[in-house]
Amino acid sequence: MSSTLIKCLNFVKNVRTTAFRGLVSTTQTPAMAWSASATLQPCMREIHSSFVRPVLMQFFDEPKHWNENEVKVGRAWRLDELRIKSNKELHQLWFILLKERNMLMTMEHECNDKMEIFPSPERIDKVKISMENLETVVRERNKAYHLLETGETGERPRREVTNAFGLRGYYKSCEHVLPAFMNTKWIKSRQLTHGGRAVHKFLLKYREKLYNAKRKSKNRSRNEVMMILRRNPNFDLSVLRRQFPDVDVDKLVNEDKTRGHYVPKVDV
């Protein structure tokens, strides 16, 4: 091997060694600087780490609420408040509500398992109402967008159908792998007959049940108005009309049952 080739190989080896050492020194410098700052500022590291909860513990409520009978929370999100939010904010709020719902359901299951009281169970209802309102706002925006672009709502078409019990309901169309005329299983499930003596008897009992429920609800409202007028003869009638729209308040005022045991004032 010639001397020139040996010198070239030695030069390449020296260059590689120098570059590797420089790379190691540059990669170690930020780590050393971070470790130095960590040793000089221990309070800042403790404050930052104190707010971080473990991942699995995020499925549970804060420990200070575990033995409480009531947790002070706000109300549910309203439609007017959600309509002024942007799509990004609604997307973030949806995952916050979803995380809160999972936490509350986990706490409810844990409390039932331990036979303990679940504090403020109405929180689940508030979260569900907020999520329903958020879905309503998103559906409104999607509907407005599709109507502007295509002239259609963009939602799945639905039609009114009658089931085997003779009750009417709405069926939403969905996609199928096979066409309708080839899908025999789907055809058999949709060929429902609602005739027959048993179905008519069921419908008669079912409508009677609905009528009785409506009649009892109206009677309860009527009795409540009569009790209010009996105890408070000078009660504001406009308030009763707004609170009980299905009750004829003006007619109940002149009935004998609404008169209480008091002596009427007579102008002399």
Side-chain angles (χ1 to χ4, degrees), residues 75-92:
R75 54 173 175 78
W77 285 86
R78 299 174 180 172
L79 289 173
D80 298 337
E81 297 172 347
L82 295 174
R83 287 192 178 103
I84 61 177
K85 299 289 185 181
S86 62
N87 293 335
K88 183 178 180 181
E89 292 174 345
L90 292 179
H91 192 247
Q92 294 174 354

Side-chain angles (χ1 to χ4, degrees), residues 6-7 12 44 60 62 75 87-88 99 109 140 162 177 200 206 252 262 267:
I6 293 174
K7 290 180 181 180
V12 172
M44 294 181 63
F60 297 90
E62 296 182 3
R75 54 173 175 78
N87 293 335
K88 183 178 180 181
K99 185 178 178 181
H109 182 272
E140 289 177 354
T162 305
V177 179
H200 288 294
Y206 181 73
L252 292 178
Y262 64 92
D267 298 333

Side-chain angles (χ1 to χ4, degrees), residues 23-39:
L23 180 61
V24 172
S25 62
T26 54
T27 54
Q28 290 180 353
T29 301
M32 294 174 63
W34 181 83
S35 61
S37 63
T39 55

Side-chain angles (χ1 to χ4, degrees), residues 198-258:
V199 174
H200 288 294
K201 186 177 181 180
F202 166 76
L203 290 176
L204 181 63
K205 297 292 184 180
Y206 181 73
R207 291 165 184 167
E208 182 182 0
K209 179 181 177 181
L210 294 180
Y211 172 76
N212 290 333
K214 184 178 180 180
R215 178 178 56 84
K216 290 179 182 179
S217 176
K218 188 175 181 179
N219 290 338
R220 283 194 298 266
S221 300
R222 182 173 177 272
N223 295 334
E224 187 173 356
V225 172
M226 292 173 56
M227 187 62 65
I228 292 175
L229 292 176
R230 183 182 300 175
R231 294 179 178 178
N232 305 290
N234 299 325
F235 198 86
D236 191 0
L237 300 181
S238 60
V239 178
L240 292 177
R241 294 190 189 97
R242 289 196 303 267
Q243 188 173 359
F244 303 96
D246 56 340
V247 179
D248 191 357
V249 181
D250 298 331
K251 184 179 179 180
L252 292 178
V253 173
N254 300 324
E255 290 190 2
D256 296 337
K257 294 183 179 180
T258 58

Side-chain angles (χ1 to χ4, degrees), residues 50-200:
S50 61
F51 291 97
V52 178
R53 298 178 61 188
V55 178
L56 293 179
M57 289 303 297
Q58 294 181 3
F59 284 96
F60 297 90
D61 201 356
E62 296 182 3
K64 63 181 181 181
H65 297 157
W66 287 359
N67 297 325
E68 298 291 337
N69 294 330
E70 183 180 1
V71 179
K72 294 183 179 180
V73 294
R75 54 173 175 78
W77 285 86
R78 299 174 180 172
L79 289 173
D80 298 337
E81 297 172 347
L82 295 174
R83 287 192 178 103
I84 61 177
K85 299 289 185 181
S86 62
N87 293 335
K88 183 178 180 181
E89 292 174 345
L90 292 179
H91 192 247
Q92 294 174 354
L93 181 60
W94 173 262
F95 281 99
I96 292 174
L97 293 173
L98 182 62
K99 185 178 178 181
E100 185 73 12
R101 189 190 66 175
N102 293 339
M103 183 271 294
L104 293 175
M105 295 181 70
T106 304
M107 288 298 300
E108 184 182 21
H109 182 272
E110 185 68 16
C111 291
N112 294 335
D113 191 20
K114 300 295 183 180
M115 300 181 65
E116 297 179 357
I117 299 177
F118 176 54
S120 299
E122 67 275 4
R123 291 183 291 173
I124 300 179
D125 298 333
K126 293 180 180 180
V127 171
K128 290 183 178 180
I129 293 173
S130 300
M131 298 180 75
E132 290 177 359
N133 293 339
L134 197 151
E135 287 183 340
T136 302
V137 173
V138 173
R139 190 176 294 109
E140 289 177 354
R141 295 185 181 182
N142 291 338
K143 185 177 180 180
Y145 173 79
H146 284 284
L147 286 174
L148 182 62
E149 294 292 333
T150 63
E152 299 179 356
T153 58
E155 297 182 351
R156 288 191 297 171
R158 63 176 187 173
R159 63 180 185 273
E160 188 177 4
V161 296
T162 305
N163 57 12
F165 299 99
L167 303 177
R168 292 183 176 273
Y170 287 97
Y171 169 74
K172 287 186 176 182
S173 303
C174 56
E175 296 182 356
H176 296 272
V177 179
L178 297 176
F181 65 91
M182 295 179 60
N183 195 347
T184 56
K185 184 178 180 181
W186 182 84
I187 293 175
K188 291 180 180 179
S189 64
R190 291 293 170 264
Q191 289 179 351
L192 302 176
T193 58
H194 54 275
R197 188 174 181 180
V199 174
H200 288 294

